[in-house]
Amino acid sequence: MRNATTPTSAWHTWLHFFGRHILILLFLTVALAGMIAVHWYFSPSIGDVQAVARSTQGLSAPIFKEIPARPVQQRLAQSPGPIRIGIIAGHAGFDSGAVCEDGLTEVEVNTVIARLVVENLRARGLAVDLLDEFDERLRGYNATALVSIHADSCVYYNEFATGYKIAASPFTDSTALENCVERVYRQVTELPYHANTITPHMTDYHAFRTIAPGTPAIIIEAGFMYLDRELLTVQADRPARGITNGILCFLEQSQQ
Ligand SMILES: [Zn+2]
């Protein structure tokens, strides 16, 4: 009888086992080969992996994080910009304005006074623009102050048609400028303030709407061309000094 532990018998047992499970073993072999092939095919070489890791972006992706906007707080108060004054010679470059019987025009009167004001301010080292009535520079004009100089009609109404008047921009607070010029102009010219003839032409003055918001602006009717004629022409330096010193008063106040 044969002993189950003899080598021949063990070999026979294994062969018998393989014979019975040949399909399963074949399947396992094919599956293993397939997995090894897939692994080999899709694995990048070590060199490729190192190259990606060394590249600037590395293996990381950018992270986007929503950060809510916060108000910027200035540590130091903003220093005021350099001073610049705009002076409009009323009607200049446009029309003559009011005209007297003897031919004296408002634009002449305004221009003489405006030029004197500009000279006075420049003599003090200030930057000043002498502007026409509809000067192109008025669009978005940015300045410390804008003063438009006009004069009232040359028609004789009555003995009260004398004096000056001022209207301030309704868009930018121009009260300080208005108050300074009103007070100083009266002191220098000794003219009365003629408030009751302020017209929409003054309060709705075109330049108020054209200039940059934040530029204080006024329009002054420096006097009546009939009764105040001598002051406005022969003594033009007086209204000019009144306007100049009024602007300087405003600058002193706004520097504080
Ligand atoms: Zn005018």
Side-chain angles (χ1 to χ4, degrees), residues 24-182:
I24 265 186
L25 288 169
L26 205 63
F27 169 77
L28 288 174
T29 308
V30 169
L32 185 65
M35 283 192 285
I36 287 169
V38 166
H39 175 78
W40 170 82
Y41 185 79
F42 287 104
S43 290
S45 74
I46 291 296
D48 288 347
V49 174
Q50 284 170 343
V52 171
R54 271 199 307 273
S55 71
T56 49
Q57 214 180 334
L59 294 170
S60 63
I63 297 169
F64 296 101
K65 187 176 174 187
E66 289 283 340
I67 298 171
R70 283 193 306 169
V72 177
Q73 282 182 334
Q74 234 171 297
R75 285 190 193 168
L76 299 168
Q78 200 169 35
S79 57
I83 293 170
R84 173 164 291 274
I85 308 293
I87 302 292
I88 297 178
H91 301 273
F94 181 61
D95 65 4
S96 59
V99 185
C100 298
E101 278 187 2
D102 66 348
L104 176 70
T105 61
E106 186 197 337
V107 68
E108 292 172 67
V109 170
N110 297 339
T111 303
V112 168
I113 297 172
R115 288 208 172 120
L116 288 170
V117 172
V118 171
E119 273 177 35
N120 292 343
L121 292 171
R122 283 184 181 154
R124 299 204 171 231
L126 296 168
V128 191
D129 297 313
L130 179 60
L131 303 158
D132 280 347
E133 183 67 70
F134 290 96
D135 203 295
E136 281 189 6
R137 287 171 288 176
L138 284 171
R139 192 173 299 279
Y141 187 69
N142 220 316
T144 321
L146 176 75
V147 177
S148 180
I149 300 170
H150 281 252
D152 249 313
S153 80
C154 205
V155 177
Y156 179 78
Y157 297 106
N158 53 45
E159 56 186 305
F160 301 110
T162 171
Y164 69 104
K165 58 206 176 191
I166 297 171
S169 165
F171 301 104
T172 300
D173 181 16
S174 309
T175 324
L177 177 64
E178 185 183 17
N179 288 345
C180 264
V181 175
E182 186 184 319

Side-chain angles (χ1 to χ4, degrees), residues 6 20 49 53 71 75 80 88 93 95 103 105-106 108 112 127 151 172 185-186 201 205-206 212 218 227-228 237:
T6 59
R20 279 178 61 182
V49 174
R75 285 190 193 168
I88 297 178
D95 65 4
T105 61
E106 186 197 337
E108 292 172 67
V112 168
T172 300
Y185 194 81
R186 180 168 46 231
H201 264 297
Y205 184 51
H206 67 89
I218 58 167
L227 286 181
D228 306 323
D237 61 302

